[in-house]
Each structure stands twice: as structure tokens, then as C-alpha cells.
Amino acid sequence: MSTDAAGLGRRRAVGFVLPALVLIGVFLVFPALWTVYLGLTDFRLTGLAAADPKMVGADNYTAALADERFHSSFWLTAQFVAGSAIAGQAGLGFAVAWALRDRPGPVKRAVEGVVLLAWILPSSVVAFLWLALLDRDQGTLNALLHTPGFAWLLDHPMPSIIAFNIWRGTAFSMMLYGAALASVPPSHLETARLAGASTFQQLRDVVFPHIRGHILTNLLLISLWTFNDFTTYQITAGGPEGRSEILPVYIYNVALSGGQLGFGAAVSFLVLLVNLVLALVYLRLLRERKGAVA
């Protein structure tokens, strides 16, 4: 009887897990394997290669690694992640959370609502708002600065999309850090203040050690999201002259606009490997932190 009950329990467990496994297989595993396959072919959207693609082995990967345009896109993506995610969203998100930690309810809710608004709006709406803000002829920013005709998106495309992504994504870091700061014992901060510690010393010696795990988790998530962000295409489409063509935009331009699906799939797989490396680095730091705490 016990054996039958155990078998029934296993079947029920499999029944509960099976739908999730099917979804993972259909929407994650199969697309990943299909991308690997396409990356080994000369598949194109048009022409003979579309009707009868040929296996080319690692040619697409070697071509991508030797492509100056790929190198430029990778460097621009590194700048985009460092500027908008690590320095921008994480830094500004923590600053807002720290400034609001002791503020009264109405003020805190008002500021959080304004910051959250940029995060919950559809990406296309946010992109349109920034196009209106930075427009050369009738842009709001030029009107405020009294600089009519200044082409922000043409002259400074990377700073423009970095500022756009900071404004759009700071809310997540703000919420995560706000929850993390609530776990810092107030008595520790009060003791540090009574000892004459400055704000910087309080952050360094009291706050950051308590929320280090939250910081690493936040950096992992926003780095991966930013590394794979495609919304900037609606702002600059990678231009002018490829000066804001980060890797997701580069893949789109090569694979869909250029029709080189095989080559684009190979670049996508290289981007996946970079994401895995980033994730492994952050996870190792998290494990080291847990080991130190234990």
C-alpha cells in the first residue's frame, strides 16, 4: 500500500511539473537549439540560401568575431550597460531609496509614483516621449535650455540613450534597495551616528555590508536586462552611422534588415555566452558572500 501511495505521489508530482516543463521546452529550449542550428548555416531571408540553406560550420562565428562592426557594437553595449545600468540605474535607484527612507508617507509615495511611472509605461510610449523631448526643432529640452536646433540624437546618440534607459529603469533598483534598507537595523545606524560617522562612513561600514546580497542581485538583473535591451532601436535605430548600435540592435539590423539569419543567429549565441559569463560572475560573488556570512 505504501509503495502504491509513493508511486501515486510521484505521478502527481510529475503531473504538476509537466506543464511547466513543456512551456520551458517550447519557449526556451527549442528556440535556443534552433538558434544554434541557424548559426551553423548560411540561412537568409531571401535568395537561394532561404530555400536551401547549407551548413557552414563555425564560419559565421569566426566572421562575427572578426567583424569590426561587431567589435564596435560590443564596446557600445559595454558602455551602455556600465553607464545606464551599473552607474545610472543602480546608483540613482539607491540614492532615491536612501533619500526616501525616513520621509513622510505622502512625499515618499509621490516621488515613488513619479519614478514608477516611467517603468510601467509601455516602451513604445516612453520612446515617443523621449523623441519629443530631444527633437531638434520642437523638442522640450531645447525649449527649456534655449538651444533651438541642437540635435541631441545626432550629435550625442549614446549619452541620449543612456539617459533614456536610466530614466526608464531606475524604478526597479529603487524598489529593491528600498526593501533592502528596511532590513538594516536602525540601532546600528544610530550607533554609527553617535560615534561621529559621516554619511559615507555609515554607508560603507553599516549599510553596504547588510545589503551586499541585494546589491549583487540587482546588478545581475539590470545588467542582463540592459545588455539585451532593444528599446533603444525606437530612439536612434542604432544610428547615426552605427554610433549607438548596441548588440541587440546590431543583431536586428544584420538578421532581419540585412536578411542574414544564420549570421545573426551566430551573433545571438555569442551574446548568450556573454550573458552566461556575467551571470556566473555575479553568482560566484553571491556564493562568496553567503560563505563569508556563514
Side-chain angles (χ1 to χ4, degrees), residues 12-208:
R12 286 180 176 176
V14 172
F16 281 119
V17 174
L18 187 59
L21 294 178
V22 171
L23 291 175
I24 291 173
V26 171
F27 293 106
L28 290 178
V29 177
F30 175 75
L33 294 177
W34 183 248
T35 300
V36 173
Y37 164 73
L38 286 181
L40 299 174
T41 70
D42 62 350
F43 194 85
R44 297 182 63 93
L45 285 177
T46 59
L48 295 177
D52 185 24
K54 306 294 185 183
M55 295 294 293
V56 295
D59 288 354
N60 286 329
Y61 294 96
T62 55
L65 293 174
D67 185 10
E68 288 297 328
R69 188 176 170 190
F70 173 77
H71 298 164
S72 175
S73 294
F74 187 87
W75 172 240
L76 290 173
T77 306
Q79 295 179 47
F80 186 58
V81 172
S84 68
I86 298 175
Q89 293 179 17
L92 182 59
F94 179 83
V96 174
W98 177 258
L100 294 178
R101 72 192 190 284
D102 295 326
R103 293 295 182 271
V107 175
K108 185 176 183 179
R109 286 194 294 270
V111 175
E112 288 178 342
V114 171
V115 178
L116 279 170
L117 184 62
W119 194 49
I120 63 177
L121 285 174
S123 298
S124 57
V125 175
V126 177
F128 175 80
L129 292 175
W130 271 76
L131 287 173
L133 174 70
L134 301 177
D135 184 73
R136 176 168 55 184
D137 299 319
Q138 298 178 340
T140 307
L141 185 59
N142 281 337
L144 293 174
L145 299 178
H146 303 290
T147 55
F150 191 86
W152 295 95
L153 296 176
L154 294 177
D155 297 333
H156 305 285
M158 277 304 295
S160 297
I161 64 173
I162 286 174
F164 158 75
N165 198 53
I166 292 173
W167 181 80
R168 186 172 65 98
T170 294
F172 177 81
S173 296
M174 177 195 70
M175 292 187 296
L176 190 147
Y177 288 137
L181 289 174
S183 67
V184 178
S187 59
H188 292 191
L189 287 172
E190 184 63 27
T191 301
R193 281 194 292 267
L194 293 175
S198 63
T199 300
F200 173 76
Q201 291 171 329
Q202 294 175 41
L203 292 174
R204 182 193 62 190
D205 300 330
V206 179
V207 176
F208 290 154

Side-chain angles (χ1 to χ4, degrees), residues 166-288:
I166 292 173
W167 181 80
R168 186 172 65 98
T170 294
F172 177 81
S173 296
M174 177 195 70
M175 292 187 296
L176 190 147
Y177 288 137
L181 289 174
S183 67
V184 178
S187 59
H188 292 191
L189 287 172
E190 184 63 27
T191 301
R193 281 194 292 267
L194 293 175
S198 63
T199 300
F200 173 76
Q201 291 171 329
Q202 294 175 41
L203 292 174
R204 182 193 62 190
D205 300 330
V206 179
V207 176
F208 290 154
H210 275 90
I211 67 171
R212 184 168 181 263
H214 297 83
I215 293 174
L216 291 174
T217 300
N218 180 61
L219 289 177
L220 169 62
L221 293 175
I222 63 176
S223 295
L224 293 178
W225 291 340
T226 303
F227 199 96
N228 299 282
D229 185 72
F230 184 72
T231 311
T232 58
Y233 183 85
Q234 302 174 73
I235 304 292
T236 63
E241 299 177 349
R243 289 161 53 199
S244 62
E245 190 180 52
I246 58 176
L247 282 173
V249 177
Y250 169 67
I251 293 171
Y252 175 84
N253 288 334
V254 168
L256 297 181
S257 297
Q260 303 178 64
L261 282 180
F263 183 80
V267 178
S268 298
F269 186 72
L270 293 175
V271 170
L272 174 62
L273 294 180
V274 174
N275 282 307
L276 288 175
V277 171
L278 287 175
L280 289 174
V281 169
Y282 280 122
L283 290 175
R284 181 170 182 177
L285 291 173
L286 277 173
R287 283 197 297 269
E288 290 177 354

